[in-house]
Amino acid sequence: MKNKFLLLIPALAALGFATQCQSTKPVATASEAAIVAPVATPAALAAPKEYRYESVPGDPLGVRIYKLDNGLTVYLSDYKDAPRIQTYLAVRAGSKNDPAAATGLAHYLEHMVFKGTSQLGTQDWAKEKIELDKIEALYETYRGQRTDAAARKRTYHQIDSISGVAARYAVPNEYDKVMGAIGAKGSNAHTSNEETVYQEDIPSNQLEKWAAIQAERMREMVPRLFHTELEAVYEEKNRGLDSDFNKELEALNGALYPTHPYGTQTTIGTIEHLQNPSITEIKKYFGQYYVPNNVALCLSGDLDFDQTIRLIDKYFGAMSGKPVPAFNAPVEQPITAPIVKEVVGPQSENVMLGYRLPGKASKDAVRLRMLDKILTNGQAGLIDLDLNQQQKVLQAASFTDLNDDYSTHVIYGTPRQGQKLEDVRGLLQGELAKVKAGNFPDWLIPAIINNEKLTRTKSYESNEARASAMYEAFIERIDWKDYLQQQDDFGKITKAEMVKFANDNYRENYVTVFKRTGTDPNKVKVVKPAITPVPATYNTLALASTPPRSCSRSSTSWVVPSM
């Protein structure tokens, strides 16, 4: 049967040739203004629809923030660096929203969103759906057979067999082919604690096609080619299990956050949950969180504000909003004495110190960013000068992980040959002690502020950075003016303020993780079940042997310096 989505392609192509006039309205300068866009019906029969937006005077990005009737948030910034637009579709849901009994769900859903819908990625949806429903039911049976190895083997054989039948109706990677056909670049996504974000870099004259396609996959998620995509997720998990650094971070988080999902579960999920996936739970998660009032579209590039918001409303406006499950963040008890953990593995030894601080919308998170730069900034940080340049350790650095509910500050060091990890810890603590005593040059903070301003100004020449700032504000749940204010607050930090901050927050309330060289007696791997390769499906938009998708970043929110 002819692929239904192929019927949509001529219509999409025609969209690119529609007359699209620039608005002749003058740009509003008030913090809240309105633009008027024509509706589909003749102007004589219906009043034009009014789109209201918010803006911030003096905003270097000139961002307009719209809210559609269904709750969808839209951030737009006009920057004509090239005839392209960077787009992000940001969902306020990540691994902390995973059910405790089905960790890794948000991340696996991210993979599934690229598999298409009932219109995209199928040759015969009616027949394919019958087989997919069977597979979903069998996975629920499989999950209930954890203690019966023989029954599980039989059930998985059925899953594997029916998956082969279902795959005959699928068009692998059709989404990627369609996006490629309109000239999109950088098609990818990532999942972390707070968010799942989908990105595209599109030609500006393909905006309507992009909107039509993205709205289509926001409306519906079809978990096709499910069990073969598990192979890609298993590989991601095994890479994490092979990384001593990753194991250290998990140990650190587990000690810092004994009750919060930041520490009790990981974005990639547990082996137990990965080996017992639930399509039913994934569908439920999609229905709960992938709703307009929990999503933002963030676009920066060569765009016209009036035209863009009209197109977005045209394709996304008919979706229905609904209440999103509230996340009640567990409150961690204060750490009153140092906690020590040990990790063993074949890779080089090092030591980590971790501190728990308030979430990224707080003033303390802004101060934490400054402390991080005081310690290491690549040139004149205390650790840079005192430890690295003087070769007191092999390597040392500081980094942060800023999240909505809490932030984490990590200081780590790798010993020189024959040096004890305990001695490296002492050297790291010595650099913190200098901050607490104010024993650092007066010029350091102003220099950091000036460098940050230069770096930020330069980064805003990139549409990717501009659009990223927008989705970060959305995920952080703060107004755009408050997001910009954080930059101003950073520029006003004083030395006295940082000395007080360090003394208030850096005491005996830390976790140490010693990474020692050796054989890990608890080393495990995800054992892959027998998976029969699916039959190749050829048509004008799909290639037979395109590999499964992998994420644009590892499935945590850590940004870790190389060691």
Side-chain angles (χ1 to χ4, degrees), residues 20 82-85 202-208 301-303 307:
Q20 298 174 340
R84 300 191 68 86
I85 301 172
I202 62 170
S204 53
N205 63 357
Q206 302 296 317
L207 179 63
E208 186 160 7
D302 183 12
L303 58 82
Q307 170 188 307

Side-chain angles (χ1 to χ4, degrees), residues 20 27 80 82 87 99 137 139 147 161 219 273 277 303 333 345 351 375 383-384 422 441 460 482 488 523 537 555:
Q20 298 174 340
V27 176
K80 301 187 187 304
T87 75
Y139 266 112
T147 60
S161 178
R219 273 189 286 267
H273 296 159
L303 58 82
Q333 295 301 309
V351 59
L375 293 173
I383 289 176
D384 298 322
E422 289 80 2
Y460 285 164
D482 295 326
D488 292 340
K523 183 176 176 62
T537 303
S555 45

Side-chain angles (χ1 to χ4, degrees), residues 61 63 75-77 79 85-91 186 188 190 195-201 296-301 360 456 459-478 480 483-484 486-487 552-553:
L61 303 187
V63 174
Y75 295 77
L76 301 180
S77 178
Y79 183 65
I85 301 172
Q86 177 66 47
T87 75
Y88 288 103
L89 189 158
V91 185
N188 220 318
H190 71 260
E195 68 200 48
T196 308
V197 181
Y198 302 85
Q199 66 186 68
E200 300 287 351
D201 176 351
L297 299 180
C298 306
L299 283 68
S300 178
K360 61 184 177 183
R456 184 168 62 253
S459 75
Y460 285 164
E461 295 176 5
S462 157
N463 278 313
E464 186 173 5
R466 297 166 71 92
S468 294
M470 300 175 208
Y471 89 68
E472 287 170 3
F474 176 75
I475 297 298
E476 197 174 330
R477 299 173 187 272
I478 62 172
W480 182 243
Y483 182 87
L484 296 175
Q486 288 179 342
Q487 312 304 328
S552 61
R553 68 166 102 162

